[in-house]
Each structure stands twice: as C-alpha cells, then as structure tokens.
Short mmCIF file of all heavy atoms in Angstrom, two decimals:
data_model
loop_
_atom_site.label_atom_id
_atom_site.label_comp_id
_atom_site.label_asym_id
_atom_site.label_seq_id
_atom_site.Cartn_x
_atom_site.Cartn_y
_atom_site.Cartn_z
N MET A 1 -1.69 20.68 -7.80
CA MET A 1 -0.90 19.57 -8.42
C MET A 1 -0.16 18.72 -7.47
O MET A 1 -0.30 17.50 -7.69
CB MET A 1 0.06 20.35 -9.42
CG MET A 1 0.86 19.36 -10.07
SD MET A 1 -0.13 18.58 -11.45
CE MET A 1 1.09 17.94 -12.53
N LEU A 2 0.30 19.41 -6.42
CA LEU A 2 1.00 18.58 -5.54
C LEU A 2 0.03 17.60 -4.64
O LEU A 2 0.24 16.45 -4.46
CB LEU A 2 1.75 19.41 -4.45
CG LEU A 2 2.44 18.78 -3.31
CD1 LEU A 2 3.49 17.92 -3.78
CD2 LEU A 2 2.90 19.75 -2.38
N ARG A 3 -1.15 18.24 -4.43
CA ARG A 3 -2.20 17.50 -3.80
C ARG A 3 -2.59 16.30 -4.59
O ARG A 3 -2.80 15.17 -4.00
CB ARG A 3 -3.41 18.38 -3.68
CG ARG A 3 -4.53 17.74 -2.92
CD ARG A 3 -5.64 18.67 -2.82
NE ARG A 3 -6.63 18.14 -1.91
CZ ARG A 3 -7.89 18.81 -1.48
NH1 ARG A 3 -8.02 20.10 -1.80
NH2 ARG A 3 -8.81 18.12 -0.68
N ALA A 4 -2.65 16.25 -5.86
CA ALA A 4 -3.04 15.20 -6.79
C ALA A 4 -2.00 14.25 -6.76
O ALA A 4 -2.25 12.96 -6.64
CB ALA A 4 -3.38 15.62 -8.23
N ILE A 5 -0.62 14.60 -6.73
CA ILE A 5 0.39 13.65 -6.80
C ILE A 5 0.47 12.87 -5.40
O ILE A 5 0.66 11.61 -5.52
CB ILE A 5 1.77 14.37 -7.03
CG1 ILE A 5 1.71 14.90 -8.46
CG2 ILE A 5 2.96 13.51 -6.84
CD1 ILE A 5 2.88 15.89 -8.75
N VAL A 6 0.32 13.56 -4.34
CA VAL A 6 0.37 13.02 -3.05
C VAL A 6 -0.77 11.93 -2.97
O VAL A 6 -0.64 10.79 -2.29
CB VAL A 6 0.42 13.91 -1.95
CG1 VAL A 6 0.45 13.28 -0.59
CG2 VAL A 6 1.69 14.75 -2.13
N THR A 7 -1.87 12.31 -3.40
CA THR A 7 -3.16 11.52 -3.34
C THR A 7 -2.95 10.18 -4.16
O THR A 7 -3.21 9.09 -3.64
CB THR A 7 -4.36 12.27 -3.84
OG1 THR A 7 -4.66 13.37 -3.01
CG2 THR A 7 -5.60 11.23 -3.76
N ILE A 8 -2.45 10.33 -5.37
CA ILE A 8 -2.02 9.26 -6.19
C ILE A 8 -1.00 8.25 -5.56
O ILE A 8 -1.32 6.99 -5.46
CB ILE A 8 -1.76 9.55 -7.62
CG1 ILE A 8 -2.89 10.20 -8.36
CG2 ILE A 8 -1.17 8.39 -8.40
CD1 ILE A 8 -2.55 11.02 -9.54
N LEU A 9 0.09 8.92 -5.00
CA LEU A 9 1.10 8.08 -4.34
C LEU A 9 0.43 7.29 -3.20
O LEU A 9 0.71 6.13 -2.96
CB LEU A 9 2.17 8.86 -3.95
CG LEU A 9 3.14 9.34 -4.97
CD1 LEU A 9 4.24 10.39 -4.41
CD2 LEU A 9 3.85 8.29 -5.72
N GLY A 10 -0.44 7.99 -2.38
CA GLY A 10 -0.99 7.23 -1.24
C GLY A 10 -1.98 6.23 -1.66
O GLY A 10 -1.89 5.05 -1.16
N ALA A 11 -2.68 6.36 -2.67
CA ALA A 11 -3.64 5.32 -3.24
C ALA A 11 -2.76 4.17 -3.74
O ALA A 11 -3.22 3.01 -3.43
CB ALA A 11 -4.52 5.90 -4.49
N VAL A 12 -1.71 4.37 -4.43
CA VAL A 12 -0.94 3.32 -4.95
C VAL A 12 -0.25 2.50 -3.73
O VAL A 12 -0.25 1.32 -3.74
CB VAL A 12 0.24 3.79 -5.88
CG1 VAL A 12 1.12 2.75 -6.21
CG2 VAL A 12 -0.45 4.31 -7.18
N ALA A 13 0.03 3.30 -2.75
CA ALA A 13 0.58 2.56 -1.56
C ALA A 13 -0.38 1.66 -0.84
O ALA A 13 -0.02 0.60 -0.44
CB ALA A 13 1.29 3.61 -0.63
N ILE A 14 -1.56 2.14 -0.80
CA ILE A 14 -2.58 1.30 -0.22
C ILE A 14 -2.88 0.15 -1.02
O ILE A 14 -3.00 -1.01 -0.47
CB ILE A 14 -3.96 2.21 -0.07
CG1 ILE A 14 -3.83 3.32 0.96
CG2 ILE A 14 -5.02 1.31 0.29
CD1 ILE A 14 -4.87 4.33 0.87
N LEU A 15 -2.99 0.27 -2.41
CA LEU A 15 -3.21 -0.95 -3.14
C LEU A 15 -2.13 -1.95 -3.02
O LEU A 15 -2.37 -2.98 -3.10
CB LEU A 15 -3.62 -0.53 -4.55
CG LEU A 15 -4.81 0.29 -4.82
CD1 LEU A 15 -4.89 0.89 -6.25
CD2 LEU A 15 -6.11 -0.60 -4.41
N VAL A 16 -0.95 -1.48 -3.13
CA VAL A 16 0.19 -2.50 -3.22
C VAL A 16 0.39 -3.03 -1.78
O VAL A 16 0.52 -4.39 -1.67
CB VAL A 16 1.49 -1.59 -3.50
CG1 VAL A 16 2.75 -2.62 -3.30
CG2 VAL A 16 1.50 -1.23 -5.00
N GLY A 17 0.16 -2.27 -0.69
CA GLY A 17 0.13 -2.88 0.65
C GLY A 17 -0.93 -4.02 0.83
O GLY A 17 -0.60 -4.98 1.36
N LEU A 18 -2.09 -3.72 0.31
CA LEU A 18 -3.17 -4.67 0.45
C LEU A 18 -2.81 -5.94 -0.44
O LEU A 18 -3.10 -7.07 0.04
CB LEU A 18 -4.55 -4.16 -0.12
CG LEU A 18 -5.00 -3.04 0.90
CD1 LEU A 18 -6.35 -2.50 0.26
CD2 LEU A 18 -5.33 -3.58 2.22
N LEU A 19 -2.07 -5.73 -1.59
CA LEU A 19 -1.73 -6.91 -2.43
C LEU A 19 -0.67 -7.73 -1.62
O LEU A 19 -0.75 -8.97 -1.58
CB LEU A 19 -1.06 -6.44 -3.77
CG LEU A 19 -0.41 -7.46 -4.53
CD1 LEU A 19 -1.54 -8.47 -5.03
CD2 LEU A 19 0.26 -6.86 -5.70
N TRP A 20 0.25 -7.10 -0.94
CA TRP A 20 1.23 -7.75 -0.19
C TRP A 20 0.67 -8.58 1.01
O TRP A 20 0.98 -9.57 1.32
CB TRP A 20 2.19 -6.76 0.32
CG TRP A 20 3.18 -6.23 -0.68
CD1 TRP A 20 3.22 -6.59 -2.02
CD2 TRP A 20 4.27 -5.24 -0.47
NE1 TRP A 20 4.13 -5.73 -2.61
CE2 TRP A 20 4.74 -5.09 -1.77
CE3 TRP A 20 4.76 -4.71 0.53
CZ2 TRP A 20 5.98 -4.17 -1.95
CZ3 TRP A 20 5.83 -3.93 0.51
CH2 TRP A 20 6.41 -3.61 -0.79
N VAL A 21 -0.39 -7.91 1.64
CA VAL A 21 -1.01 -8.52 2.77
C VAL A 21 -1.72 -9.84 2.25
O VAL A 21 -1.65 -10.91 2.83
CB VAL A 21 -1.97 -7.59 3.32
CG1 VAL A 21 -2.94 -8.39 4.37
CG2 VAL A 21 -1.35 -6.57 4.22
N GLY A 22 -2.37 -9.71 1.11
CA GLY A 22 -3.15 -10.79 0.60
C GLY A 22 -2.16 -11.91 0.13
O GLY A 22 -2.34 -13.17 0.40
N GLN A 23 -1.09 -11.63 -0.47
CA GLN A 23 -0.04 -12.58 -0.78
C GLN A 23 0.60 -13.22 0.27
O GLN A 23 0.75 -14.41 0.54
CB GLN A 23 1.06 -12.03 -1.73
CG GLN A 23 0.50 -11.73 -3.13
CD GLN A 23 1.66 -11.08 -4.02
OE1 GLN A 23 2.44 -10.38 -3.53
NE2 GLN A 23 1.70 -11.60 -5.27
N GLY A 24 0.89 -12.42 1.44
CA GLY A 24 1.57 -12.89 2.58
C GLY A 24 0.57 -13.86 3.34
O GLY A 24 1.03 -14.83 3.98
N GLN A 25 -0.53 -13.62 3.33
CA GLN A 25 -1.70 -14.51 3.96
C GLN A 25 -1.98 -15.72 3.08
O GLN A 25 -2.70 -16.58 3.55
CB GLN A 25 -2.92 -13.79 4.31
CG GLN A 25 -2.74 -12.69 5.31
CD GLN A 25 -2.36 -13.26 6.70
OE1 GLN A 25 -2.84 -14.26 7.07
NE2 GLN A 25 -1.38 -12.74 7.28
N GLY A 26 -1.61 -15.71 1.84
CA GLY A 26 -1.86 -16.78 0.90
C GLY A 26 -3.25 -16.70 0.28
O GLY A 26 -3.74 -17.66 -0.39
N LEU A 27 -3.86 -15.52 0.39
CA LEU A 27 -5.21 -15.40 -0.16
C LEU A 27 -5.23 -14.93 -1.62
O LEU A 27 -6.09 -15.20 -2.45
CB LEU A 27 -5.94 -14.29 0.66
CG LEU A 27 -6.11 -14.51 2.09
CD1 LEU A 27 -6.71 -13.17 2.84
CD2 LEU A 27 -6.94 -15.62 2.32
N ILE A 28 -4.03 -14.24 -2.19
CA ILE A 28 -3.85 -13.83 -3.35
C ILE A 28 -2.61 -14.66 -3.89
O ILE A 28 -1.42 -14.54 -3.37
CB ILE A 28 -3.60 -12.28 -3.48
CG1 ILE A 28 -4.85 -11.56 -2.97
CG2 ILE A 28 -3.17 -11.94 -4.95
CD1 ILE A 28 -4.61 -10.20 -2.96
N ARG A 29 -2.77 -15.37 -4.99
CA ARG A 29 -1.80 -16.21 -5.50
C ARG A 29 -1.51 -15.81 -6.94
O ARG A 29 -1.42 -16.56 -7.85
CB ARG A 29 -2.19 -17.75 -5.50
CG ARG A 29 -2.50 -18.29 -4.14
CD ARG A 29 -2.53 -19.77 -4.11
NE ARG A 29 -2.59 -20.25 -2.74
CZ ARG A 29 -1.47 -20.49 -2.01
NH1 ARG A 29 -0.24 -20.32 -2.55
NH2 ARG A 29 -1.52 -20.91 -0.85
N TRP A 30 -1.01 -14.49 -7.01
CA TRP A 30 -0.73 -13.96 -8.24
C TRP A 30 0.43 -13.11 -8.12
O TRP A 30 0.45 -12.28 -7.16
CB TRP A 30 -1.88 -13.07 -8.79
CG TRP A 30 -1.49 -12.31 -9.92
CD1 TRP A 30 -1.48 -12.75 -11.36
CD2 TRP A 30 -1.08 -10.99 -9.99
NE1 TRP A 30 -0.95 -11.78 -12.08
CE2 TRP A 30 -0.68 -10.67 -11.36
CE3 TRP A 30 -0.75 -9.88 -9.09
CZ2 TRP A 30 -0.26 -9.46 -11.78
CZ3 TRP A 30 -0.20 -8.74 -9.46
CH2 TRP A 30 -0.04 -8.53 -10.81
N PRO A 31 1.45 -13.20 -8.88
CA PRO A 31 1.69 -14.30 -9.82
C PRO A 31 1.96 -15.64 -9.14
O PRO A 31 2.32 -15.69 -7.86
CB PRO A 31 2.94 -13.82 -10.61
CG PRO A 31 3.59 -12.91 -9.70
CD PRO A 31 2.49 -12.30 -8.86
N ALA A 32 1.60 -16.67 -9.70
CA ALA A 32 1.56 -18.00 -9.21
C ALA A 32 2.98 -18.39 -8.52
O ALA A 32 3.19 -19.16 -7.58
CB ALA A 32 1.15 -19.04 -10.22
N ASP A 33 4.10 -17.90 -9.14
CA ASP A 33 5.47 -18.34 -8.73
C ASP A 33 6.09 -17.12 -7.69
O ASP A 33 7.28 -17.12 -7.48
CB ASP A 33 6.31 -18.55 -9.89
CG ASP A 33 6.48 -17.25 -10.78
OD1 ASP A 33 5.66 -16.29 -10.67
OD2 ASP A 33 7.32 -17.25 -11.63
N SER A 34 5.17 -16.35 -7.18
CA SER A 34 5.71 -15.38 -6.39
C SER A 34 6.29 -15.74 -5.09
O SER A 34 5.77 -16.69 -4.42
CB SER A 34 4.76 -14.28 -5.99
OG SER A 34 5.01 -13.29 -5.13
N PHE A 35 7.43 -15.25 -4.65
CA PHE A 35 8.13 -15.64 -3.39
C PHE A 35 7.46 -15.19 -2.01
O PHE A 35 7.84 -15.59 -1.09
CB PHE A 35 9.67 -15.29 -3.54
CG PHE A 35 9.81 -13.68 -3.58
CD1 PHE A 35 9.85 -13.02 -2.36
CD2 PHE A 35 9.82 -13.08 -4.63
CE1 PHE A 35 10.03 -11.47 -2.40
CE2 PHE A 35 9.92 -11.72 -4.81
CZ PHE A 35 10.05 -10.93 -3.60
N MET A 36 6.45 -14.27 -2.38
CA MET A 36 5.82 -13.76 -1.30
C MET A 36 4.66 -14.43 -0.77
O MET A 36 4.08 -14.16 0.39
CB MET A 36 5.42 -12.30 -1.60
CG MET A 36 6.44 -11.33 -1.95
SD MET A 36 6.00 -9.84 -2.62
CE MET A 36 4.85 -9.12 -1.72
N ILE A 37 4.13 -15.43 -1.58
CA ILE A 37 2.87 -16.18 -1.17
C ILE A 37 3.11 -17.09 0.10
O ILE A 37 4.09 -17.87 0.23
CB ILE A 37 2.55 -16.98 -2.32
CG1 ILE A 37 2.09 -16.10 -3.51
CG2 ILE A 37 1.29 -17.88 -1.94
CD1 ILE A 37 1.81 -16.90 -4.73
N GLY A 38 2.36 -16.72 1.10
CA GLY A 38 2.43 -17.53 2.32
C GLY A 38 3.40 -17.13 3.21
O GLY A 38 3.68 -17.87 4.25
N VAL A 39 4.15 -15.97 3.05
CA VAL A 39 5.20 -15.58 3.89
C VAL A 39 4.65 -14.35 4.82
O VAL A 39 4.43 -13.22 4.41
CB VAL A 39 6.47 -15.06 3.03
CG1 VAL A 39 7.53 -14.58 4.12
CG2 VAL A 39 6.93 -16.22 2.15
N GLN A 40 4.57 -14.75 6.16
CA GLN A 40 3.89 -13.70 6.98
C GLN A 40 4.61 -12.35 7.08
O GLN A 40 3.86 -11.35 7.18
CB GLN A 40 3.98 -14.34 8.52
CG GLN A 40 3.21 -13.58 9.35
CD GLN A 40 1.70 -13.50 9.25
OE1 GLN A 40 1.15 -14.34 8.73
NE2 GLN A 40 1.06 -12.29 9.56
N ASP A 41 5.89 -12.37 6.98
CA ASP A 41 6.57 -11.01 6.86
C ASP A 41 6.03 -10.03 5.84
O ASP A 41 6.00 -8.90 6.07
CB ASP A 41 8.05 -11.21 6.54
CG ASP A 41 8.83 -11.91 7.73
OD1 ASP A 41 8.32 -11.89 8.83
OD2 ASP A 41 9.91 -12.40 7.51
N TRP A 42 5.57 -10.60 4.65
CA TRP A 42 5.08 -9.68 3.67
C TRP A 42 3.70 -9.10 4.11
O TRP A 42 3.23 -8.04 3.63
CB TRP A 42 4.96 -10.42 2.38
CG TRP A 42 6.31 -10.50 1.75
CD1 TRP A 42 7.16 -11.51 1.70
CD2 TRP A 42 7.12 -9.33 1.15
NE1 TRP A 42 8.37 -11.32 1.13
CE2 TRP A 42 8.38 -10.00 0.96
CE3 TRP A 42 6.91 -8.15 1.00
CZ2 TRP A 42 9.36 -9.20 0.37
CZ3 TRP A 42 7.92 -7.34 0.42
CH2 TRP A 42 9.10 -7.91 0.12
N SER A 43 3.00 -9.89 4.91
CA SER A 43 1.77 -9.30 5.45
C SER A 43 1.92 -8.07 6.34
O SER A 43 1.19 -7.09 6.30
CB SER A 43 0.96 -10.46 6.32
OG SER A 43 0.53 -11.43 5.47
N ILE A 44 3.01 -8.12 7.11
CA ILE A 44 3.25 -7.06 8.12
C ILE A 44 3.82 -5.86 7.26
O ILE A 44 3.36 -4.83 7.56
CB ILE A 44 4.37 -7.62 9.06
CG1 ILE A 44 3.82 -8.69 9.98
CG2 ILE A 44 4.95 -6.36 9.96
CD1 ILE A 44 4.78 -9.47 10.78
N ARG A 45 4.68 -6.14 6.34
CA ARG A 45 5.13 -5.17 5.55
C ARG A 45 4.04 -4.35 4.68
O ARG A 45 4.05 -3.20 4.55
CB ARG A 45 6.33 -5.56 4.45
CG ARG A 45 7.62 -6.03 5.30
CD ARG A 45 8.47 -6.64 4.31
NE ARG A 45 9.63 -7.11 5.13
CZ ARG A 45 10.43 -8.07 4.61
NH1 ARG A 45 10.18 -8.79 3.60
NH2 ARG A 45 11.47 -8.52 5.43
N GLY A 46 3.21 -5.26 4.19
CA GLY A 46 2.03 -4.68 3.41
C GLY A 46 1.12 -3.91 4.31
O GLY A 46 0.58 -2.78 3.88
N ALA A 47 0.90 -4.29 5.55
CA ALA A 47 0.04 -3.52 6.38
C ALA A 47 0.64 -2.20 6.72
O ALA A 47 -0.12 -1.04 6.80
CB ALA A 47 -0.27 -4.23 7.76
N ILE A 48 1.87 -2.07 6.88
CA ILE A 48 2.65 -0.85 7.17
C ILE A 48 2.77 0.10 5.95
O ILE A 48 2.35 1.16 6.12
CB ILE A 48 4.15 -1.16 7.63
CG1 ILE A 48 4.16 -1.87 8.88
CG2 ILE A 48 5.04 0.16 7.58
CD1 ILE A 48 5.62 -2.47 9.29
N LEU A 49 2.77 -0.45 4.76
CA LEU A 49 2.81 0.32 3.49
C LEU A 49 1.36 0.85 3.43
O LEU A 49 1.15 2.03 2.97
CB LEU A 49 3.24 -0.59 2.27
CG LEU A 49 3.15 0.16 0.97
CD1 LEU A 49 4.13 1.32 1.00
CD2 LEU A 49 3.51 -0.84 -0.15
N ALA A 50 0.43 0.02 3.56
CA ALA A 50 -0.99 0.38 3.39
C ALA A 50 -1.36 1.64 4.32
O ALA A 50 -1.93 2.65 4.15
CB ALA A 50 -2.00 -0.73 3.64
N ALA A 51 -0.80 1.40 5.62
CA ALA A 51 -1.11 2.53 6.66
C ALA A 51 -0.33 3.84 6.27
O ALA A 51 -1.00 4.92 6.43
CB ALA A 51 -0.58 2.11 8.09
N LEU A 52 0.92 3.70 5.62
CA LEU A 52 1.47 4.90 5.23
C LEU A 52 0.78 5.53 4.07
O LEU A 52 0.68 6.81 3.89
CB LEU A 52 2.97 4.58 4.72
CG LEU A 52 3.90 4.27 5.81
CD1 LEU A 52 5.25 3.71 5.19
CD2 LEU A 52 4.14 5.49 6.81
N GLY A 53 0.17 4.72 3.15
CA GLY A 53 -0.64 5.17 2.12
C GLY A 53 -1.78 6.10 2.56
O GLY A 53 -2.27 7.10 2.07
N VAL A 54 -2.47 5.43 3.66
CA VAL A 54 -3.62 6.20 4.34
C VAL A 54 -3.21 7.53 4.86
O VAL A 54 -3.85 8.61 4.65
CB VAL A 54 -4.24 5.30 5.39
CG1 VAL A 54 -5.33 6.24 6.22
CG2 VAL A 54 -4.98 4.09 4.74
N ALA A 55 -1.99 7.54 5.42
CA ALA A 55 -1.46 8.84 6.03
C ALA A 55 -1.17 9.88 4.82
O ALA A 55 -1.47 11.01 5.00
CB ALA A 55 -0.23 8.44 6.78
N LEU A 56 -0.61 9.29 3.77
CA LEU A 56 -0.40 10.21 2.61
C LEU A 56 -1.66 10.80 1.99
O LEU A 56 -1.77 11.93 1.81
CB LEU A 56 0.29 9.45 1.38
CG LEU A 56 1.78 9.36 1.62
CD1 LEU A 56 2.34 8.36 0.49
CD2 LEU A 56 2.56 10.60 1.68
N VAL A 57 -2.64 9.99 2.05
CA VAL A 57 -4.05 10.47 1.47
C VAL A 57 -4.58 11.51 2.48
O VAL A 57 -5.13 12.61 2.00
CB VAL A 57 -5.06 9.32 1.26
CG1 VAL A 57 -6.45 9.95 1.03
CG2 VAL A 57 -4.52 8.32 0.09
N LEU A 58 -4.47 11.34 3.68
CA LEU A 58 -4.90 12.23 4.66
C LEU A 58 -4.26 13.66 4.69
O LEU A 58 -4.76 14.63 4.79
CB LEU A 58 -4.86 11.56 6.13
CG LEU A 58 -5.82 10.62 6.40
CD1 LEU A 58 -5.57 9.94 7.67
CD2 LEU A 58 -7.26 10.91 6.17
N VAL A 59 -2.87 13.40 4.45
CA VAL A 59 -2.00 14.67 4.33
C VAL A 59 -2.36 15.40 3.00
O VAL A 59 -2.54 16.63 3.06
CB VAL A 59 -0.44 14.32 4.28
CG1 VAL A 59 0.42 15.44 3.78
CG2 VAL A 59 -0.01 13.84 5.60
N ALA A 60 -2.56 14.60 2.03
CA ALA A 60 -3.03 15.36 0.78
C ALA A 60 -4.33 16.15 0.88
O ALA A 60 -4.52 17.13 0.23
CB ALA A 60 -3.22 14.23 -0.38
N ARG A 61 -5.24 15.69 1.64
CA ARG A 61 -6.53 16.37 1.84
C ARG A 61 -6.32 17.72 2.53
O ARG A 61 -7.12 18.63 2.50
CB ARG A 61 -7.38 15.41 2.73
CG ARG A 61 -7.95 14.24 1.93
CD ARG A 61 -8.92 13.52 2.74
NE ARG A 61 -10.02 14.20 2.89
CZ ARG A 61 -11.14 13.86 3.60
NH1 ARG A 61 -11.12 12.68 4.22
NH2 ARG A 61 -12.19 14.53 3.65
N ARG A 62 -5.28 17.79 3.29
CA ARG A 62 -4.92 19.12 3.96
C ARG A 62 -4.14 20.05 3.14
O ARG A 62 -4.17 21.22 3.50
CB ARG A 62 -4.21 18.74 5.27
CG ARG A 62 -4.97 17.93 6.19
CD ARG A 62 -4.30 17.70 7.63
NE ARG A 62 -5.22 18.33 8.47
CZ ARG A 62 -4.83 18.72 9.77
NH1 ARG A 62 -3.59 18.61 10.16
NH2 ARG A 62 -5.75 19.19 10.58
N ILE A 63 -3.44 19.52 2.10
CA ILE A 63 -2.74 20.45 1.22
C ILE A 63 -3.72 21.36 0.54
O ILE A 63 -4.60 20.93 -0.10
CB ILE A 63 -1.95 19.57 0.33
CG1 ILE A 63 -0.70 18.73 1.01
CG2 ILE A 63 -1.12 20.46 -0.83
CD1 ILE A 63 0.04 17.77 0.05
N GLY A 64 -3.36 22.56 0.60
CA GLY A 64 -4.17 23.58 -0.14
C GLY A 64 -5.30 24.00 0.59
O GLY A 64 -6.03 24.93 0.17
N LYS A 65 -5.62 23.55 1.79
CA LYS A 65 -6.67 24.08 2.51
C LYS A 65 -6.31 25.25 3.56
O LYS A 65 -7.12 25.63 4.27
CB LYS A 65 -7.35 22.84 3.40
CG LYS A 65 -8.14 22.03 2.54
CD LYS A 65 -8.86 21.12 3.30
CE LYS A 65 -9.92 20.15 2.44
NZ LYS A 65 -10.84 19.31 3.25
N ARG A 66 -5.01 25.55 3.50
CA ARG A 66 -4.52 26.53 4.47
C ARG A 66 -4.79 27.89 3.91
O ARG A 66 -4.88 28.28 2.91
CB ARG A 66 -3.12 26.34 4.76
CG ARG A 66 -2.85 24.93 5.47
CD ARG A 66 -1.38 24.84 5.68
NE ARG A 66 -1.19 23.48 6.31
CZ ARG A 66 -0.05 23.04 6.59
NH1 ARG A 66 1.03 23.84 6.60
NH2 ARG A 66 0.11 21.97 7.05
#
C-alpha cells in the first residue's frame, strides 16, 4: 500500500513539474490567464519538482523489496 501511494505521489509530482516547466517556457498556455506563463522561475521550480518526483518513484520501487 505504501509503495502505491509513494508511486502515485511521484507520478503526480513529475506531471505537475513538467506542466510548470512548459508554462514557464511559454510552451503551455493553459490556463490562458496563468501568472506562470513565460516566467523562467517556474521552469526551474518545475524541473526541481519533476526531479523530486523521479526520486520518489525510484524510492517506491525499492519499498517492499527488502
């Protein structure tokens, strides 16, 4: 159960992080009135969040294998 929860949290973090990167780069313009569109800081924050998500997924793969 813990493994599934950590995997889901990691996947959500990856997806949200990629959304933030896309908005920060101006590639994703949804929602159209978002304050994050074209702001480089959100690209950096998104990349960090996505990296943390990858780390969570990797940790989840190790849970229960001991």
Side-chain angles (χ1 to χ4, degrees):
M1 182 68 161
L2 178 62
R3 183 178 185 175
I5 292 170
V6 175
T7 301
I8 291 169
L9 287 175
V12 169
I14 292 168
L15 293 174
V16 171
L18 292 176
L19 174 65
W20 289 1
V21 169
Q23 285 182 324
Q25 294 296 316
L27 300 172
I28 299 173
R29 299 195 168 274
W30 173 84
D33 60 347
S34 176
F35 62 91
M36 296 166 55
I37 296 174
V39 179
Q40 185 67 31
D41 288 344
W42 287 103
S43 293
I44 295 166
R45 293 174 184 151
I48 292 168
L49 182 60
L52 289 173
V54 169
L56 280 175
V57 170
L58 293 174
V59 166
R61 292 182 65 181
R62 300 186 118 200
I63 292 175
K65 288 192 174 185
R66 296 179 185 185

